[in-house]
Amino acid sequence: SKPIRPYFKIGEMNLIRRLVGTLPDWAQKTHPHMRYLFSGETKTSLLGRIIGFLSLLLILAMFGMIGYANASTFFQNNPFELPVSMFLFEFLFWAMLILQVGLAITALLPIVSFISSEKAKNTWDSIRTTHEGTQLLIRARWSATVFYRLRPVLIVLWLARIILIGGLLYDLTAFGGEYLSSLSANITPKLPQWVVLILVVMGITASLLMPLTSVGINTALGLWISTWVQKRLYVAMIQVFLVMVQTLMAGGFVILFLSIRDEQIINQLLSPTSPQYIPPLGLWLLLLGFSVFTDWGMVFLYLGLYAGTIWAKIPYGIFLGAGALVVVLLQAFITDRLVAWTIRRAERSE
């Protein structure tokens, strides 16, 4: 059999290049495999579209209420008196966090049953006997999820980030352009301002790329799991387990997020004499995990928290954005290898 060409070539990072480039033929909706994947979708009736639109308005209203409640400290203060960047972050953060956890679950769970569903429809054998049928279908299924079905949610997440970047740029012009200098005055280690600025830009870049790479790797993981588990009972058990893992991970990291915003708690976490002491390296890694796996880097776009608390309190905290960017590139590489591994296993699957 022909060697499997990885979709994401090392050095080119095709996953990231798809943001500005064109999709390959097998990822276009006109490709036979893509048409097959979308052929089972029934057109929504007018009533269904109206219900969907009203549901969307309800969700937006709920997210708006959550954001307003958080920004106003549960309706105790006027949120519009807050600094612009702080208001934007407090208003958007929790709604986007909920949306991101839901998106991660949506990218992972339905696709776990992909191969078992194809076998149940008696289409799997004919796909496997077609020239490059298995690898083209796996790649098309990955693309259909990332570039089409979940694209509206990804756009919402990117829009939220662009808004926060606007607030960040507004902050950088404060105090005659000395705002960044004041935030980095007491960091460990001491760095020149041009290095600090580069690290801020790296954090922004990571934050923008994380939605795509996170959804990409979750989708690839779901496809890989589908090559191992085909029985419906086991598939259901895996799906429940994955929801529990995602929920517990999000809950744990949210507790960490709330802790670093509390002056007393963060001081206890960093005090060697405190029972709650966490070594600086351990805390740094936990914050990196929170940024990558739960909040997807939104913290990097609000300097009032990222610089004002994390840089000031946690040694080497200024390198979190750079660390997150490395993880983003690593996610792209792992996605490549995972898709290739999935194709090899699927071609051998009976």
Side-chain angles (χ1 to χ4, degrees):
S1 60
K2 293 182 179 180
I4 297 170
R5 293 176 300 169
Y7 173 39
F8 316 106
K9 298 177 183 177
I10 302 173
E12 293 185 4
M13 291 300 174
N14 284 4
L15 169 61
I16 297 171
R17 288 177 62 199
R18 297 307 170 204
L19 286 170
V20 293
T22 57
L23 296 175
D25 290 340
W26 46 262
Q28 301 283 351
K29 274 195 170 183
T30 54
H31 192 275
H33 286 81
M34 293 295 285
R35 289 204 305 267
Y36 164 72
L37 290 172
F38 286 103
S39 63
E41 297 183 355
T42 57
K43 291 186 177 180
T44 308
S45 64
L46 177 60
L47 178 61
R49 289 196 294 269
I50 292 174
I51 292 174
F53 178 71
L54 293 176
S55 300
L56 176 62
L57 291 180
L58 180 62
I59 292 171
L60 291 176
M62 181 185 69
F63 281 170
M65 185 63 69
I66 292 172
Y68 187 87
N70 184 56
S72 63
T73 319
F74 293 98
F75 311 104
Q76 295 180 18
N77 304 308
N78 181 4
F80 299 107
E81 295 178 353
L82 297 173
V84 173
S85 59
M86 184 177 184
F87 169 75
L88 293 174
F89 179 79
E90 299 294 352
F91 186 82
L92 291 171
F93 179 77
W94 289 107
M96 293 303 102
L97 180 63
I98 295 169
L99 189 61
Q100 288 166 179
V101 172
L103 180 61
I105 293 172
T106 303
L108 182 58
L109 291 197
I111 212 164
V112 168
S113 61
F114 175 60
I115 291 181
S116 63
S117 298
E118 293 300 321
K119 289 183 176 181
K121 292 187 291 186
N122 296 318
T123 57
W124 185 245
D125 288 337
S126 61
I127 290 169
R128 291 178 66 231
T129 56
T130 306
H131 177 62
E132 294 188 339
T134 302
Q135 65 170 295
L136 286 174
L137 184 66
I138 294 294
R139 288 174 173 176
R141 185 65 180 89
W142 183 92
S143 298
T145 299
V146 176
F147 295 126
Y148 294 102
R149 292 189 171 122
L150 298 180
R151 181 168 56 187
V153 185
L154 287 172
I155 290 173
V156 170
L157 294 176
W158 277 321
L159 285 175
R161 281 160 169 73
I162 290 170
I163 291 171
L164 289 175
I165 289 171
L168 185 149
L169 294 176
Y170 178 82
D171 280 347
L172 291 178
T173 63
F175 305 110
E178 295 297 320
Y179 182 64
L180 192 61
S181 300
S182 64
L183 289 174
S184 59
N186 299 314
I187 64 173
T188 302
K190 298 289 186 182
L191 296 171
Q193 282 304 292
W194 64 270
V195 176
V196 173
L197 185 59
I198 289 175
L199 292 173
V200 170
V201 172
M202 292 177 75
I204 294 172
T205 305
S207 181
L208 288 171
L209 294 176
M210 276 182 196
L212 181 64
T213 58
S214 296
V215 170
I217 197 170
N218 271 11
T219 305
L221 179 60
L223 284 169
W224 178 77
I225 292 173
S226 75
T227 66
W228 292 90
V229 183
Q230 272 94 53
K231 291 186 178 181
R232 290 185 179 181
L233 176 61
Y234 295 154
V235 168
M237 292 173 63
I238 288 289
Q239 289 174 328
V240 171
F241 173 74
L242 291 173
V243 170
M244 291 174 60
V245 169
Q246 291 274 358
T247 305
L248 289 173
M249 186 184 302
F253 283 127
V254 163
I255 292 173
L256 174 65
F257 170 74
L258 294 174
S259 298
I260 64 171
R261 303 199 73 179
D262 186 296
E263 184 78 16
Q264 184 176 357
I265 293 177
I266 189 65
N267 288 335
Q268 290 176 348
L269 293 176
L270 291 169
S271 174
T273 60
S274 170
Q276 290 81 33
Y277 173 68
I278 299 177
L281 177 60
L283 189 56
W284 192 93
L285 291 173
L286 283 173
L287 288 171
L288 180 64
F290 169 77
S291 301
V292 174
F293 297 109
T294 304
D295 112 294
W296 294 2
M298 288 186 68
V299 166
F300 301 143
L301 306 180
Y302 173 43
L303 291 179
L305 173 61
Y306 179 40
T309 299
I310 295 175
W311 291 6
K313 295 286 186 180
I314 300 170
Y316 301 93
I318 193 172
F319 293 103
L320 278 172
L325 185 57
V326 171
V327 173
V328 165
L329 301 180
L330 185 61
Q331 282 181 327
F333 174 76
I334 293 174
T335 300
D336 166 31
R337 305 324 306 160
L338 204 51
V339 170
W341 187 5
T342 299
I343 291 171
R344 288 195 296 271
R345 281 196 50 80
E347 288 181 332
R348 295 194 298 265
S349 179
E350 297 296 334

